[in-house]
Amino acid sequence: MDMALKILEEVHQFGIDRRTEPIIAIGGGVCLDIVGLAASLYRRRTPYIRVPTTLLSYIDASVGAKTGVNFANCKNKLGTYIAPVAAFLDRSFIQSIPRRHIANGLAEMLKMALMKHRGLFELLEVHGQFLLDSKFQSASVLENDRIDPASVSTRVAIETMLEELAPNLWEDDLDRLVDFGHLISPQLEMKVLPALLHGEAVNIDMAYMVYVSCEIGLLTEEEKFRIICCMMGLELPVWHQDFTFALVQKSLCDRLQHSGGLVRMPLPTGLGRAEIFNDTDEGSLFRAYEKWCDELSTGSPQ
């Protein structure tokens, strides 16, 4: 919030025309969120433009209308809904960021693949390492390949995100597939800050939820294995010692409080298919947790 106020002070001193001079946010997801919040507060609404410079912000933070800052040791506890007047997307920015941050963005791409698009999942399975190596630059198209993995994967990730967000921009409906990987990860991310990047925490959450899906019969063992291997191929963490079962219980309890008395748990029901569940019992959650720890705490699937 201090940074949002600092931005507002600069905007005020500059004497911006709030209708013809949009604020331009150039940066990663945190930058876009904070500048968006500042724009929504200045004279109640000042237009702003998003220019994402990381993979995560390119496919996630640049889409939708949410702004926010952390508050009371909680992620994005303060925020508004205000769409930018434009989002300018240029993948050449992505070559400037470290490999770990590209993997970080791939977690949000994998989220949309698991929820909505089997073809995107299979693309990440096959071309994930290439995307990391090439940093999503189209000049590095694979030899003898008729598709550009960088262009196809980013377009599909954004399109599937828009399909989910556009009809429910203000979150009047709290059943959201895009919440996959975001039930436990906010508390994990804040607990270990700054050890985990956002996408890394999301992926750890998703890895556990894949075990939950398998435990209650929504995924086969083979599908579970494929997903975990894909995650590891994208150089994402699949387990963390601070992701305790007590953290799972507390996070889901908080979820009930803030989601209208329902847990609204998005779970994959196949590769590229998902549904919202409200009746996952604690016994299944615990058995899935034990198997997850037994198989992945050593760093590789058994």
Side-chain angles (χ1 to χ4, degrees), residues 95-178:
Q95 65 190 307
S96 71
I97 64 173
R99 187 181 182 94
R100 181 185 175 193
H101 281 266
I102 295 174
N104 181 51
L106 282 167
E108 291 284 0
M109 187 176 286
L110 180 60
K111 174 188 79 175
M112 298 313 300
L114 291 174
M115 292 291 97
K116 290 182 64 73
H117 204 288
R118 184 186 180 112
L120 179 57
F121 173 76
E122 291 172 344
L123 185 152
L124 293 174
E125 256 189 324
V126 174
H127 298 307
Q129 277 290 318
F130 171 77
L131 290 169
L132 281 164
D133 293 340
S134 64
K135 294 195 169 187
F136 280 79
Q137 301 310 299
S138 291
S140 310
V141 176
L142 288 163
E143 288 183 28
N144 305 319
D145 206 323
R146 285 172 293 182
I147 68 159
D148 169 11
S151 177
V152 172
S153 61
T154 50
R155 177 177 53 78
V156 173
I158 290 171
E159 285 176 353
T160 52
M161 183 76 82
L162 284 170
E163 285 172 12
E164 286 297 302
L165 296 184
N168 189 30
L169 202 58
W170 318 119
E171 296 184 12
D172 296 316
D173 182 358
L174 296 175
D175 286 347
R176 292 163 26 95
L177 293 180
V178 294

Coordinates of all heavy atoms in Angstrom, one line a residue, residues 95-178:
Q95 N 12.4 -12.5 -22.9 CA 13.8 -12.9 -23.0 C 14.7 -12.2 -22.0 O 15.9 -12.6 -21.8 CB 14.4 -12.6 -24.4 CG 14.4 -11.2 -24.9 CD 14.7 -11.1 -26.3 OE1 15.7 -11.6 -26.9 NE2 13.9 -10.3 -27.0
S96 N 14.2 -11.1 -21.4 CA 15.0 -10.4 -20.4 C 14.9 -11.0 -19.0 O 15.7 -10.5 -18.1 CB 14.5 -8.9 -20.3 OG 13.2 -8.8 -19.7
I97 N 14.1 -12.0 -18.7 CA 13.9 -12.5 -17.4 C 14.6 -13.8 -17.2 O 14.8 -14.6 -18.1 CB 12.4 -12.6 -17.0 CG1 11.7 -13.6 -17.9 CG2 11.7 -11.2 -17.1 CD1 10.3 -13.9 -17.4
P98 N 15.0 -14.1 -15.9 CA 15.7 -15.3 -15.6 C 14.8 -16.6 -15.9 O 13.6 -16.5 -15.9 CB 16.0 -15.2 -14.1 CG 15.8 -13.8 -13.8 CD 14.8 -13.3 -14.7
R99 N 15.5 -17.7 -16.1 CA 14.8 -19.0 -16.4 C 13.8 -19.3 -15.3 O 12.7 -19.8 -15.7 CB 15.9 -20.1 -16.6 CG 15.3 -21.4 -17.1 CD 16.5 -22.4 -17.1 NE 16.1 -23.7 -17.6 CZ 16.1 -24.1 -18.9 NH1 16.6 -23.2 -19.8 NH2 15.7 -25.3 -19.3
R100 N 14.1 -19.1 -14.1 CA 13.2 -19.5 -13.0 C 11.9 -18.7 -13.1 O 10.8 -19.2 -12.8 CB 13.9 -19.2 -11.6 CG 13.0 -19.5 -10.5 CD 13.6 -19.1 -9.1 NE 12.7 -19.3 -8.0 CZ 12.9 -18.8 -6.8 NH1 14.0 -18.1 -6.5 NH2 12.0 -19.1 -5.8
H101 N 11.9 -17.5 -13.6 CA 10.7 -16.7 -13.7 C 9.9 -17.1 -14.9 O 8.7 -16.9 -14.9 CB 11.1 -15.2 -13.8 CG 11.4 -14.6 -12.5 ND1 10.4 -13.9 -11.7 CD2 12.5 -14.6 -11.7 CE1 11.0 -13.5 -10.6 NE2 12.2 -13.9 -10.6
I102 N 10.6 -17.7 -15.9 CA 9.8 -18.3 -17.0 C 9.1 -19.5 -16.6 O 7.9 -19.7 -16.8 CB 10.7 -18.6 -18.2 CG1 11.3 -17.2 -18.8 CG2 10.0 -19.3 -19.3 CD1 12.3 -17.3 -19.8
A103 N 9.8 -20.4 -15.8 CA 9.1 -21.6 -15.2 C 7.9 -21.1 -14.3 O 6.9 -21.7 -14.3 CB 10.1 -22.4 -14.4
N104 N 8.1 -20.0 -13.6 CA 7.1 -19.5 -12.7 C 5.8 -19.2 -13.5 O 4.7 -19.5 -13.1 CB 7.7 -18.2 -12.1 CG 6.7 -17.5 -11.1 OD1 6.2 -18.1 -10.2 ND2 6.5 -16.2 -11.3
G105 N 6.0 -18.6 -14.7 CA 4.8 -18.3 -15.5 C 4.2 -19.5 -16.1 O 3.0 -19.6 -16.3
L106 N 5.0 -20.5 -16.4 CA 4.5 -21.8 -17.0 C 3.5 -22.5 -16.0 O 2.7 -23.2 -16.5 CB 5.7 -22.7 -17.3 CG 6.4 -22.4 -18.6 CD1 7.7 -23.1 -18.7 CD2 5.6 -22.7 -19.8
A107 N 3.7 -22.2 -14.7 CA 2.7 -22.8 -13.8 C 1.3 -22.3 -14.0 O 0.3 -23.1 -14.0 CB 3.1 -22.5 -12.3
E108 N 1.1 -21.0 -14.3 CA -0.2 -20.5 -14.6 C -0.7 -21.0 -15.9 O -1.9 -21.2 -16.1 CB -0.2 -19.0 -14.5 CG 0.0 -18.4 -13.1 CD -1.3 -18.5 -12.2 OE1 -2.3 -19.0 -12.7 OE2 -1.2 -18.1 -11.1
M109 N 0.2 -21.2 -16.9 CA -0.2 -21.8 -18.2 C -0.7 -23.2 -18.0 O -1.7 -23.6 -18.6 CB 1.0 -21.7 -19.1 CG 0.6 -22.1 -20.5 SD 2.0 -21.9 -21.7 CE 2.1 -20.1 -21.9
L110 N 0.1 -24.0 -17.2 CA -0.3 -25.4 -16.9 C -1.6 -25.4 -16.2 O -2.4 -26.4 -16.4 CB 0.8 -26.0 -16.1 CG 0.6 -27.5 -15.7 CD1 0.4 -28.4 -16.9 CD2 1.7 -28.0 -14.8
K111 N -1.9 -24.5 -15.3 CA -3.2 -24.4 -14.6 C -4.3 -24.4 -15.7 O -5.3 -25.2 -15.6 CB -3.3 -23.2 -13.7 CG -4.7 -23.0 -13.1 CD -4.7 -21.6 -12.4 CE -5.0 -20.5 -13.4 NZ -5.2 -19.2 -12.7
M112 N -4.3 -23.5 -16.6 CA -5.3 -23.4 -17.6 C -5.4 -24.7 -18.5 O -6.5 -25.1 -18.9 CB -5.1 -22.2 -18.5 CG -5.2 -20.9 -17.7 SD -6.6 -20.8 -16.6 CE -8.0 -20.9 -17.7
A113 N -4.2 -25.3 -18.8 CA -4.2 -26.5 -19.6 C -4.9 -27.6 -18.8 O -5.7 -28.4 -19.4 CB -2.7 -26.9 -19.8
L114 N -4.7 -27.8 -17.5 CA -5.3 -28.9 -16.8 C -6.8 -28.6 -16.6 O -7.6 -29.6 -16.6 CB -4.6 -29.0 -15.4 CG -3.2 -29.5 -15.4 CD1 -2.6 -29.4 -14.0 CD2 -3.1 -30.9 -15.9
M115 N -7.2 -27.4 -16.5 CA -8.6 -27.1 -16.3 C -9.4 -27.2 -17.6 O -10.6 -27.6 -17.5 CB -8.7 -25.7 -15.7 CG -8.2 -25.5 -14.2 SD -9.2 -26.4 -13.0 CE -8.3 -27.9 -12.8
K116 N -8.8 -26.8 -18.7 CA -9.7 -26.5 -19.9 C -9.1 -27.0 -21.2 O -9.9 -27.0 -22.2 CB -9.9 -25.0 -20.0 CG -10.8 -24.4 -18.9 CD -11.1 -22.9 -19.1 CE -11.8 -22.6 -20.4 NZ -13.2 -22.9 -20.3
H117 N -7.9 -27.4 -21.3 CA -7.3 -27.6 -22.7 C -6.3 -28.7 -22.7 O -5.1 -28.4 -22.5 CB -6.8 -26.3 -23.2 CG -6.7 -26.1 -24.7 ND1 -5.8 -26.9 -25.5 CD2 -7.5 -25.4 -25.6 CE1 -6.0 -26.6 -26.7 NE2 -7.0 -25.7 -26.8
R118 N -6.7 -29.9 -23.1 CA -5.8 -31.0 -23.2 C -4.7 -30.8 -24.2 O -3.5 -31.1 -23.9 CB -6.6 -32.3 -23.6 CG -5.7 -33.5 -23.6 CD -6.4 -34.8 -24.1 NE -5.5 -35.9 -24.1 CZ -5.7 -37.0 -23.3 NH1 -6.7 -37.0 -22.5 NH2 -4.9 -38.0 -23.3
G119 N -5.0 -30.1 -25.3 CA -4.0 -29.8 -26.3 C -2.8 -29.0 -25.8 O -1.7 -29.2 -26.1
L120 N -3.2 -28.0 -24.9 CA -2.1 -27.1 -24.3 C -1.3 -28.0 -23.3 O -0.1 -27.8 -23.3 CB -2.8 -26.0 -23.6 CG -1.8 -25.0 -22.9 CD1 -0.8 -24.4 -23.8 CD2 -2.6 -23.9 -22.2
F121 N -1.9 -28.9 -22.6 CA -1.2 -29.7 -21.7 C -0.2 -30.6 -22.5 O 1.0 -30.7 -22.1 CB -2.1 -30.7 -20.9 CG -1.4 -31.7 -20.1 CD1 -0.7 -31.4 -18.9 CD2 -1.3 -33.0 -20.5 CE1 0.0 -32.3 -18.2 CE2 -0.5 -34.0 -19.8 CZ 0.1 -33.6 -18.6
E122 N -0.6 -31.2 -23.6 CA 0.3 -32.0 -24.4 C 1.4 -31.2 -25.0 O 2.5 -31.7 -25.2 CB -0.6 -32.8 -25.4 CG -1.5 -33.8 -24.7 CD -2.5 -34.5 -25.7 OE1 -2.7 -33.9 -26.8 OE2 -3.0 -35.5 -25.3
L123 N 1.1 -30.0 -25.4 CA 2.1 -29.1 -25.9 C 3.2 -28.8 -24.9 O 4.4 -28.9 -25.2 CB 1.5 -27.8 -26.4 CG 2.4 -26.8 -27.1 CD1 1.6 -25.9 -28.1 CD2 3.2 -25.8 -26.1
L124 N 2.8 -28.6 -23.6 CA 3.7 -28.3 -22.5 C 4.5 -29.6 -22.2 O 5.7 -29.5 -21.9 CB 3.0 -27.8 -21.3 CG 2.4 -26.4 -21.4 CD1 1.6 -26.1 -20.2 CD2 3.4 -25.3 -21.7
E125 N 3.9 -30.7 -22.3 CA 4.6 -32.0 -22.1 C 5.7 -32.2 -23.1 O 6.8 -32.6 -22.7 CB 3.6 -33.2 -22.3 CG 3.1 -33.8 -21.1 CD 2.3 -35.1 -21.4 OE1 1.6 -35.1 -22.4 OE2 2.4 -36.1 -20.6
V126 N 5.4 -31.9 -24.3 CA 6.4 -32.1 -25.4 C 7.4 -31.0 -25.5 O 8.6 -31.2 -25.7 CB 5.7 -32.3 -26.8 CG1 6.7 -32.4 -27.9 CG2 4.8 -33.5 -26.7
H127 N 6.9 -29.7 -25.4 CA 7.8 -28.6 -25.8 C 8.2 -27.7 -24.6 O 8.8 -26.7 -24.7 CB 7.1 -27.7 -26.8 CG 6.8 -28.3 -28.1 ND1 7.7 -29.0 -28.9 CD2 5.6 -28.5 -28.8 CE1 7.2 -29.5 -30.0 NE2 5.9 -29.2 -29.9
G128 N 7.9 -28.2 -23.4 CA 8.2 -27.4 -22.2 C 9.6 -27.0 -22.0 O 9.9 -25.8 -21.8
Q129 N 10.5 -27.9 -22.2 CA 12.0 -27.6 -22.1 C 12.4 -26.6 -23.2 O 13.2 -25.7 -23.0 CB 12.8 -28.9 -22.2 CG 12.9 -29.6 -20.9 CD 13.8 -28.9 -19.9 OE1 14.8 -28.3 -20.3 NE2 13.4 -28.9 -18.6
F130 N 11.8 -26.8 -24.4 CA 12.2 -25.9 -25.5 C 11.7 -24.5 -25.2 O 12.4 -23.5 -25.5 CB 11.5 -26.4 -26.8 CG 11.6 -25.4 -27.9 CD1 12.8 -25.2 -28.6 CD2 10.5 -24.6 -28.3 CE1 12.9 -24.3 -29.7 CE2 10.6 -23.7 -29.3 CZ 11.8 -23.5 -30.0
L131 N 10.5 -24.3 -24.6 CA 10.0 -23.0 -24.2 C 10.9 -22.4 -23.2 O 11.1 -21.1 -23.3 CB 8.6 -23.1 -23.7 CG 7.5 -23.5 -24.8 CD1 6.2 -23.8 -24.2 CD2 7.3 -22.3 -25.8
L132 N 11.4 -23.1 -22.2 CA 12.3 -22.6 -21.2 C 13.6 -22.2 -21.9 O 14.1 -21.1 -21.6 CB 12.6 -23.7 -20.2 CG 11.5 -23.8 -19.1 CD1 11.7 -25.1 -18.3 CD2 11.5 -22.7 -18.1
D133 N 14.1 -23.0 -22.8 CA 15.4 -22.7 -23.4 C 15.3 -21.5 -24.3 O 16.3 -20.7 -24.4 CB 15.9 -24.0 -24.2 CG 16.2 -25.1 -23.3 OD1 16.5 -24.9 -22.1 OD2 16.3 -26.3 -23.8
S134 N 14.2 -21.4 -25.1 CA 14.1 -20.4 -26.1 C 13.5 -19.1 -25.5 O 13.4 -18.0 -26.2 CB 13.2 -20.8 -27.2 OG 11.9 -21.1 -26.8
K135 N 13.1 -19.1 -24.2 CA 12.5 -18.0 -23.6 C 11.3 -17.4 -24.4 O 11.1 -16.2 -24.5 CB 13.5 -16.9 -23.3 CG 14.6 -17.3 -22.3 CD 15.4 -16.2 -21.7 CE 16.2 -16.6 -20.5 NZ 16.9 -15.5 -19.9
F136 N 10.5 -18.3 -25.0 CA 9.3 -17.9 -25.7 C 9.5 -17.0 -26.9 O 8.7 -16.2 -27.2 CB 8.3 -17.3 -24.7 CG 7.5 -18.3 -23.9 CD1 8.1 -18.9 -22.8 CD2 6.2 -18.7 -24.3 CE1 7.4 -19.9 -22.1 CE2 5.5 -19.7 -23.6 CZ 6.1 -20.3 -22.5
Q137 N 10.7 -17.1 -27.5 CA 11.0 -16.2 -28.6 C 10.7 -17.0 -29.9 O 11.2 -18.1 -30.2 CB 12.5 -15.8 -28.6 CG 12.8 -15.0 -27.4 CD 11.8 -13.8 -27.1 OE1 11.6 -12.9 -27.9 NE2 11.2 -13.9 -25.9
S138 N 9.9 -16.4 -30.8 CA 9.4 -17.1 -32.0 C 10.5 -17.4 -33.0 O 10.4 -18.3 -33.9 CB 8.3 -16.3 -32.7 OG 7.1 -16.3 -31.9
A139 N 11.6 -16.6 -32.9 CA 12.7 -16.8 -33.9 C 13.3 -18.2 -33.7 O 14.0 -18.7 -34.5 CB 13.8 -15.8 -33.6
S140 N 13.0 -18.8 -32.5 CA 13.6 -20.1 -32.2 C 12.7 -21.3 -32.5 O 12.6 -22.2 -31.7 CB 14.0 -20.2 -30.7 OG 14.8 -19.0 -30.4
V141 N 11.9 -21.2 -33.6 CA 10.9 -22.2 -33.9 C 11.6 -23.5 -34.1 O 12.7 -23.6 -34.7 CB 10.1 -21.9 -35.1 CG1 9.1 -23.0 -35.5 CG2 9.3 -20.6 -34.9
L142 N 11.1 -24.6 -33.6 CA 11.7 -25.9 -33.7 C 11.8 -26.3 -35.2 O 11.0 -26.1 -36.0 CB 10.8 -27.0 -33.0 CG 10.8 -27.0 -31.5 CD1 9.7 -27.8 -30.9 CD2 12.1 -27.5 -30.9
E143 N 13.0 -27.0 -35.5 CA 13.2 -27.5 -36.9 C 12.1 -28.5 -37.2 O 11.7 -29.3 -36.4 CB 14.6 -28.1 -37.0 CG 15.7 -27.1 -37.0 CD 17.0 -27.8 -37.1 OE1 17.1 -28.8 -37.8 OE2 18.0 -27.2 -36.6
N144 N 11.6 -28.5 -38.5 CA 10.7 -29.4 -39.0 C 9.4 -29.4 -38.2 O 8.6 -30.4 -38.2 CB 11.3 -30.9 -38.9 CG 12.6 -31.0 -39.7 OD1 12.7 -30.4 -40.8 ND2 13.5 -31.7 -39.1
D145 N 9.1 -28.4 -37.5 CA 7.8 -28.3 -36.7 C 6.9 -27.2 -37.4 O 7.4 -26.1 -37.6 CB 8.1 -27.9 -35.3 CG 7.0 -28.4 -34.3 OD1 5.8 -28.4 -34.8 OD2 7.3 -28.8 -33.2
R146 N 5.7 -27.6 -37.6 CA 4.8 -26.6 -38.3 C 4.2 -25.6 -37.3 O 3.5 -24.7 -37.8 CB 3.7 -27.4 -39.0 CG 4.2 -28.1 -40.3 CD 3.2 -29.0 -40.9 NE 2.9 -30.2 -40.0 CZ 2.1 -31.2 -40.3 NH1 1.4 -31.1 -41.4 NH2 1.9 -32.2 -39.5
I147 N 4.3 -25.8 -36.0 CA 3.8 -24.9 -35.1 C 4.9 -24.1 -34.3 O 6.0 -24.6 -34.2 CB 2.9 -25.6 -34.0 CG1 3.7 -26.4 -33.1 CG2 1.8 -26.4 -34.7 CD1 3.0 -26.7 -31.8
D148 N 4.5 -22.9 -33.9 CA 5.4 -22.1 -33.1 C 4.9 -22.3 -31.6 O 3.9 -21.7 -31.2 CB 5.3 -20.7 -33.5 CG 6.0 -19.7 -32.5 OD1 6.7 -20.2 -31.6 OD2 5.8 -18.5 -32.6
P149 N 5.6 -23.2 -30.8 CA 5.1 -23.5 -29.5 C 4.8 -22.2 -28.6 O 3.9 -22.2 -27.8 CB 6.2 -24.4 -28.9 CG 6.9 -24.9 -30.0 CD 6.8 -23.9 -31.1
A150 N 5.7 -21.2 -28.7 CA 5.6 -20.0 -27.9 C 4.3 -19.2 -28.3 O 3.5 -18.8 -27.4 CB 6.8 -19.1 -28.1
S151 N 4.0 -19.1 -29.6 CA 2.8 -18.3 -30.0 C 1.6 -19.1 -29.7 O 0.6 -18.5 -29.1 CB 2.9 -18.1 -31.5 OG 1.8 -17.5 -32.0
V152 N 1.6 -20.4 -29.9 CA 0.4 -21.2 -29.7 C 0.0 -21.3 -28.2 O -1.1 -21.1 -27.8 CB 0.5 -22.6 -30.3 CG1 -0.7 -23.5 -29.9 CG2 0.6 -22.6 -31.8
S153 N 1.1 -21.6 -27.4 CA 0.8 -21.7 -25.9 C 0.3 -20.5 -25.3 O -0.6 -20.5 -24.4 CB 2.1 -22.3 -25.2 OG 3.2 -21.4 -25.4
T154 N 0.9 -19.3 -25.6 CA 0.5 -18.1 -25.0 C -0.9 -17.7 -25.4 O -1.7 -17.2 -24.6 CB 1.5 -16.9 -25.3 OG1 1.8 -16.9 -26.7 CG2 2.8 -17.1 -24.5
R155 N -1.2 -17.9 -26.7 CA -2.5 -17.5 -27.2 C -3.6 -18.4 -26.6 O -4.6 -17.9 -26.1 CB -2.6 -17.7 -28.8 CG -3.9 -17.4 -29.3 CD -4.0 -17.5 -30.9 NE -3.4 -18.8 -31.3 CZ -4.1 -19.9 -31.3 NH1 -5.3 -20.0 -30.9 NH2 -3.5 -21.0 -31.8
V156 N -3.3 -19.7 -26.5 CA -4.3 -20.6 -25.9 C -4.5 -20.3 -24.4 O -5.6 -20.3 -23.9 CB -4.0 -22.1 -26.1 CG1 -4.9 -23.0 -25.4 CG2 -4.0 -22.4 -27.6
A157 N -3.4 -20.0 -23.7 CA -3.5 -19.7 -22.3 C -4.3 -18.5 -22.0 O -5.2 -18.5 -21.1 CB -2.1 -19.6 -21.7
I158 N -4.1 -17.5 -22.8 CA -4.9 -16.2 -22.7 C -6.4 -16.4 -23.1 O -7.3 -16.0 -22.4 CB -4.3 -15.1 -23.5 CG1 -2.9 -14.7 -22.9 CG2 -5.2 -13.9 -23.6 CD1 -2.1 -13.7 -23.7
E159 N -6.6 -17.2 -24.2 CA -8.0 -17.4 -24.6 C -8.8 -18.2 -23.6 O -9.9 -17.9 -23.3 CB -8.0 -18.1 -26.0 CG -7.6 -17.2 -27.1 CD -7.5 -18.0 -28.5 OE1 -7.6 -19.3 -28.4 OE2 -7.3 -17.3 -29.5
T160 N -8.2 -19.2 -23.0 CA -8.9 -20.0 -22.0 C -9.1 -19.2 -20.8 O -10.2 -19.3 -20.1 CB -8.1 -21.3 -21.7 OG1 -6.8 -21.0 -21.3 CG2 -8.1 -22.3 -22.8
M161 N -8.2 -18.3 -20.4 CA -8.4 -17.5 -19.2 C -9.5 -16.5 -19.5 O -10.4 -16.3 -18.6 CB -7.1 -16.7 -19.0 CG -7.1 -15.8 -17.7 SD -7.0 -16.7 -16.2 CE -5.2 -16.9 -16.1
L162 N -9.6 -15.9 -20.7 CA -10.6 -15.0 -21.0 C -12.0 -15.7 -21.0 O -13.0 -15.1 -20.6 CB -10.4 -14.4 -22.4 CG -9.3 -13.3 -22.5 CD1 -9.0 -12.9 -23.9 CD2 -9.8 -12.0 -21.7
E163 N -12.0 -16.9 -21.5 CA -13.3 -17.7 -21.5 C -13.9 -17.8 -20.1 O -15.1 -17.8 -19.9 CB -13.1 -19.1 -22.1 CG -12.9 -19.2 -23.6 CD -12.5 -20.6 -24.0 OE1 -12.6 -21.5 -23.2 OE2 -12.1 -20.7 -25.2
E164 N -13.0 -18.0 -19.1 CA -13.4 -18.1 -17.7 C -13.7 -16.8 -17.1 O -14.7 -16.6 -16.3 CB -12.3 -18.8 -16.9 CG -12.2 -20.3 -17.2 CD -13.5 -21.0 -16.8 OE1 -13.9 -20.9 -15.6 OE2 -14.1 -21.7 -17.7
L165 N -12.9 -15.7 -17.4 CA -13.1 -14.5 -16.7 C -14.2 -13.5 -17.3 O -14.9 -12.9 -16.5 CB -11.7 -13.7 -16.7 CG -10.6 -14.3 -16.0 CD1 -9.4 -13.4 -16.0 CD2 -10.9 -14.7 -14.5
A166 N -14.3 -13.5 -18.6 CA -15.1 -12.5 -19.3 C -16.6 -12.6 -18.8 O -17.2 -11.6 -18.5 CB -15.0 -12.7 -20.8
P167 N -17.2 -13.8 -18.7 CA -18.6 -13.8 -18.2 C -18.8 -13.5 -16.7 O -19.9 -13.4 -16.3 CB -19.0 -15.3 -18.5 CG -17.9 -15.9 -19.3 CD -16.7 -15.1 -19.0
N168 N -17.7 -13.5 -16.0 CA -17.7 -13.4 -14.5 C -16.7 -12.4 -14.0 O -16.0 -12.6 -13.1 CB -17.5 -14.8 -13.9 CG -17.8 -14.8 -12.4 OD1 -18.6 -14.1 -11.9 ND2 -17.1 -15.7 -11.7
L169 N -16.6 -11.2 -14.7 CA -15.5 -10.3 -14.5 C -15.4 -9.8 -13.1 O -14.4 -9.5 -12.5 CB -15.6 -9.2 -15.5 CG -14.3 -8.4 -15.8 CD1 -13.2 -9.3 -16.3 CD2 -14.6 -7.3 -16.8
W170 N -16.6 -9.6 -12.5 CA -16.7 -9.0 -11.1 C -16.8 -10.1 -10.1 O -17.0 -9.8 -8.9 CB -17.8 -8.1 -11.0 CG -18.0 -7.2 -12.2 CD1 -19.1 -7.1 -13.0 CD2 -17.0 -6.3 -12.7 NE1 -18.8 -6.2 -14.0 CE2 -17.6 -5.7 -13.9 CE3 -15.7 -5.9 -12.3 CZ2 -16.9 -4.7 -14.6 CZ3 -15.1 -5.0 -13.1 CH2 -15.6 -4.4 -14.2
E171 N -16.7 -11.4 -10.5 CA -16.7 -12.6 -9.5 C -18.0 -12.6 -8.8 O -18.0 -12.9 -7.6 CB -15.5 -12.5 -8.6 CG -14.2 -12.7 -9.4 CD -12.9 -12.8 -8.4 OE1 -13.1 -13.0 -7.2 OE2 -11.8 -12.7 -9.0
D172 N -19.1 -12.3 -9.4 CA -20.4 -12.5 -8.8 C -20.6 -14.0 -8.5 O -21.3 -14.4 -7.5 CB -21.5 -12.0 -9.7 CG -21.4 -10.5 -9.8 OD1 -21.2 -9.8 -8.8 OD2 -21.6 -10.0 -11.0
D173 N -20.2 -14.9 -9.5 CA -20.2 -16.3 -9.3 C -18.9 -16.8 -8.7 O -17.8 -16.6 -9.3 CB -20.5 -17.0 -10.6 CG -20.6 -18.5 -10.5 OD1 -20.4 -19.0 -9.4 OD2 -20.8 -19.2 -11.6
L174 N -18.9 -17.3 -7.5 CA -17.6 -17.7 -6.9 C -17.1 -19.1 -7.3 O -16.0 -19.5 -6.8 CB -17.8 -17.7 -5.3 CG -18.1 -16.3 -4.8 CD1 -18.4 -16.3 -3.3 CD2 -17.0 -15.3 -5.0
D175 N -17.8 -19.8 -8.1 CA -17.3 -21.1 -8.7 C -16.4 -20.7 -9.9 O -16.9 -20.4 -10.9 CB -18.5 -21.9 -9.2 CG -19.3 -22.6 -8.0 OD1 -18.8 -22.5 -6.9 OD2 -20.4 -23.1 -8.3
R176 N -15.1 -20.8 -9.6 CA -14.1 -20.4 -10.6 C -13.1 -21.4 -10.8 O -12.3 -21.8 -9.9 CB -13.5 -19.1 -10.2 CG -14.4 -17.9 -10.1 CD -13.9 -16.7 -9.3 NE -12.4 -16.6 -9.2 CZ -11.6 -15.9 -10.0 NH1 -12.1 -15.2 -10.9 NH2 -10.3 -15.9 -9.7
L177 N -13.0 -22.0 -12.1 CA -11.9 -22.9 -12.4 C -10.5 -22.3 -12.3 O -9.6 -23.0 -12.0 CB -12.1 -23.5 -13.8 CG -13.4 -24.4 -14.0 CD1 -13.4 -24.9 -15.5 CD2 -13.4 -25.6 -13.1
V178 N -10.5 -21.0 -12.5 CA -9.1 -20.3 -12.4 C -8.6 -20.3 -11.0 O -7.4 -19.9 -10.8 CB -9.2 -18.9 -13.0 CG1 -9.5 -18.9 -14.5 CG2 -10.2 -18.0 -12.3

